Amino acid sequence: MSQEWLWITIGFLGQALFSARFMVQWIASERAKRSIVPKAFWFFSLGGGATLLAYALYRQDPVFIVGQGAGLFIYVRNLMLIHRESRLEQETSRS
């Protein structure tokens, strides 16, 4: 496999992960009968965003690099907030 095909494969993998997050969110919302954003949405966002950032760096596309790079901070921050909320809920339930 040539290096170009490897990077195209990585790009498509990143896009598939990034797109899967919408399926996860839609299915979770349908099951709950309300709009929700499950933790898996943020993990797929992080995985897809990181993979797409690697692809954008390879392509040397500054617009794509800034867009995916900025998104990674948002995804990590949301996971940090979810973790903190879970930890506080556990501490409250122990009291």
Side-chain angles (χ1 to χ4, degrees):
M1 179 184 289
S2 72
Q3 186 175 5
E4 184 66 20
W5 277 107
L6 174 64
W7 280 106
I8 289 173
T9 302
I10 289 170
F12 276 118
L13 173 64
Q15 191 59 53
L17 288 170
F18 205 65
S19 297
R21 69 194 186 132
F22 293 113
M23 293 300 296
V24 167
Q25 191 275 331
W26 178 42
I27 292 167
S29 293
E30 289 294 332
R31 287 182 179 165
K33 303 289 187 224
R34 62 186 179 88
S35 181
I36 62 169
V37 179
K39 192 185 322 184
F41 177 90
W42 299 113
F43 280 112
F44 275 105
S45 297
L46 187 60
T51 307
L52 287 172
L53 177 60
Y55 181 73
L57 288 167
Y58 169 73
R59 290 287 184 183
Q60 298 179 353
D61 183 327
V63 174
F64 202 15
I65 290 167
V66 170
Q68 291 303 320
L72 291 177
F73 289 108
I74 295 167
Y75 311 144
V76 169
R77 180 64 179 147
N78 274 283
L79 286 167
M80 290 170 61
L81 291 169
I82 291 167
H83 178 72
R84 185 180 79 189
E85 184 179 0
S86 295
R87 194 178 68 237
L88 290 173
E89 286 175 1
Q90 288 175 355
E91 289 173 4
T92 302
S93 69
R94 289 184 205 152
S95 301

